[in-house]
Amino acid sequence: MTLTAAAILGGLRQRSWSVLTVAAFLVLSAAGAAGPMFAEASDNAAFGVRLGEVTETTRQNDAAVVRISANVGPTAFAQQAVIDDLRSVPGLTDFDLSGASIGAELARPDFWGFTVNATERGRLFAVGSPAAELTAVGAPAGRDGLWLPQPMATELSVQPGDQIVLALVHGNRGTPQRVTTTVNGVYAVDAAGRLPTGRKWSLRRGDTPEDTEYRTLPAYLLVGDVPTVERLAKATHDQMFWSVEATLAPGATLAEARKTANRLEEVRRKYATALPAEGDDPLALRFASGIGRIVATARTTTEAVRQRTRPVEWAAIGVGFASVLAVALLSARRREREVRHAVAVGLSPLRVGGLWLLEHLLPAALGAALGWLAAWQLVARLGPPGKISDSLAPAALTGAAAVGAGVVSVAAVGLLAAFLRVRASPPATARKPLPWPAIIVVAALVAAGGLVSAGGRASTVDLLVPLLVLAAAGVLAGWLPGLLAGGARLPTSPGRAVVWLARRRLGSGGAERRLAVTVVTAGLGMLLFGLSAVDSTATTADDRIAVAAGAENVAVLDGGSAELDPAAVSVPPNDPLRGAPPDAPVPGVRTPPLPAGNTLVWRSDVLTPLDDLRKDLLVIDPDRFLEVALWGHGPDLAAARAAVRALAADPGTADATNGSGSARAIVVGDPASALVDTIRVSIGVSTEDLIVAARVPAFPGMQGRPMYVVAATPMFAKLGPDDPRLRPRTAMPAGAQLFRTLLWSSARTPDLPTASAVTSATLLRQDATYIATDRARGYQVAVAGYLALLAVLTLCVYAQRTAALRRPTDLMLARVGLGPARVRRARALEFVLLAAVSLVAAVAGVAALVPLGGRLLDDQPGLLPRFAFQLSPLGLAVTVAAAAVAAMLAVALTTVRSASAEEDAYRDD
């Protein structure tokens, strides 16, 4: 019992070793707990972004609302069952009851007319509180009555407080049903001039009654509260179709919205199955809600985010577990005499393992709590800007599970250490150690070779290849310190003894040193790999948006560039005597002047005799194009930008007066023309030769097929009367034009003319893949911080272990003439060299992963430009800093000693 109690408290009584043990469990716990927290934050951030995309023009089926119109009764009171069903759905605001006139739809094909003062057509519409939902024009009367739209009130010359007469006629010979009511208020209408202003009314678009004469238009709505409208409808023999509305509660999380969407689906199925199948009946069930769609879109985005972060998360957990295991193995070597004594006094290996488990329970519990706290703060501060609440308890469980596995591994190490002391070995048989270095190297080679030969996107297992490769680099680097060891010759002076002693000790570490170098290399390497992956992924995403969009905004001008140029020259007419105009530049033709930040680009389909594939011809103003186009940050677009600069300097010899010269072209992604310097292209009925000025793999505005980029002046000079800058004599359909004219703008919100289509880089950035790139960045940086801490921790553990073993030797060397200062310098040099070796191996390992970067990290391998994995300069600087911190802490940890350090050195540690 005494031994058990001592074991429980012993884990926190080992001074610096206890701190290192707690730190190891802290990192393992943080790596395990961060995943669920990040998943929830990412989910809620994506959900918030999707909610923010809901605009005034969004339909109900795309908005975070629900609207149920069910034929459960003709009165508002009959809707209580629907109201109760919506109230049972979690996560919704309180209901709104509204009703719309449906008499005209029920009366068809008979005539049905509803008028105000016998002149203006309108339809009844009921809401809970008209004053709260409408934008008043002037002061309301504050009485029971109807609110009229401003255009109708103007035509009728009425104002709040006036009396109006409502009349409904059913059938050509029907008797008008009249009722008198008060104008309670006048409300403002939207830009279309029909419906009230406001987001709620724009969402109701399509559910409001139509005009009885012009059915393509919504009717003017005579809005009142539910009792008033129901009374007036009864008096005029109109019928109301009631709807129950609600919105998603503010601040709802993705998990809460998903529960809401699932429960709403149950409500929809209830009414869809309970009510009769009514076909095209106007009273058929209407159900509209975009909550489920928003949830599905957000989940698609977060799954793309998790695809990026999951391998880094697993790598962090793997390296964290390896760090705890390394602490356990070094502890076994550190306490070898203690284990031998325990076996000698009769303790079984199982009991020794149990005592080790008890000893590490308190450090593990402390590390688990601190790791959970660290993960929470790191994800909250560096992760996606989403709420973290529901995942705190699951994250604690996953972190505790990871720490529990670490504690079991420590106990297993203690059990195995005791078992090896108990088991009798044959005297003539030497025990061979497990060749774990060779196993790691072979596994890394096989995994990397399989990744190179495999096709398609990387699988989950493939994403662990970087950890294997870096561990293998650490194994190989673990043998390097032995090559630095000094020879048997003693130094000739005390000054040289520092280097000699450091080199000699580098060669005497054995398996412990190789294990430490392996783990430190893996930690530093994963730090550099993670930061480089973040930088490369972000760069590739920016480049692909630039290639797909071309510019921030691109508008297609159906009328050509002439619609921007009042002084545009018209196409020369055909002379009956001389025939068609000559193929020469038309005098006075010009590119329209445009404000800064805009440029015109012309695109056409061309054919070449090199193959039978259609290609794009992009005609640009090189100087303006350089300013407007998106250029990203990668090497492929940098080459394209340099090619445009060269084209601006030498576009060709053809000019505004000489169409017989040449035009130079940038060839983009066309392998068929790789061996030719002049390309003959067919443009409409013309055939022109283009001189190759440069070849690049990608270009802004590229649409997935090879492209030739030429300057406008020499190209249009060769086309003569087919110049697209000329004003056509007759209107031509867009499909019949030789060139499509596009206006490229660098402004996020440009003032674009009327265009048939507008593409925006902002919309492309909202794609799930690009959002995932941005969302995953903070988490990857946080996990990279875990890995850096692992490298620092491992080197400190190894330093503490070797310093404890060598303490008697260091005291002896200090007393025989070497001196305490030189011993400390030798020890510091040893750890600095170990950190340097690990750093070099980590950089080399990540450099070896460069060819595999695209295969590992590219979620869209078919897009251009190709994924270019490069070592990040910032990541390299951070990795060097982490290695320096590890070396300094290792030196500091072995330098600080208590007053009884010399006495303790002669006792068993």
Side-chain angles (χ1 to χ4, degrees), residues 127-138:
V127 295
S129 175
E133 295 193 21
L134 300 172
T135 302
V137 177

Side-chain angles (χ1 to χ4, degrees), residues 191 331 374 716:
S331 183
F716 292 153

Side-chain angles (χ1 to χ4, degrees), residues 319-338:
V319 178
F321 187 79
S323 180
V324 170
L325 190 61
V327 170
L329 293 174
L330 292 174
S331 183
R333 294 294 300 272
R334 173 175 174 264
R335 302 167 63 176
E336 182 176 359
R337 186 171 301 174
E338 174 190 321

Side-chain angles (χ1 to χ4, degrees), residues 38-53 253-254 294-305 384-387 766 768 771-772 775:
F38 177 83
E40 184 190 11
S42 177
D43 287 351
N44 292 332
F47 184 60
V49 170
R50 185 65 186 89
L51 285 177
E53 294 173 358
T253 64
L254 180 60
I294 293 174
V295 168
T297 304
R299 286 181 61 81
T300 300
T301 301
T302 55
E303 184 55 36
V305 175
K387 183 179 179 182
Q766 295 174 358
I771 293 177
R775 290 279 184 267

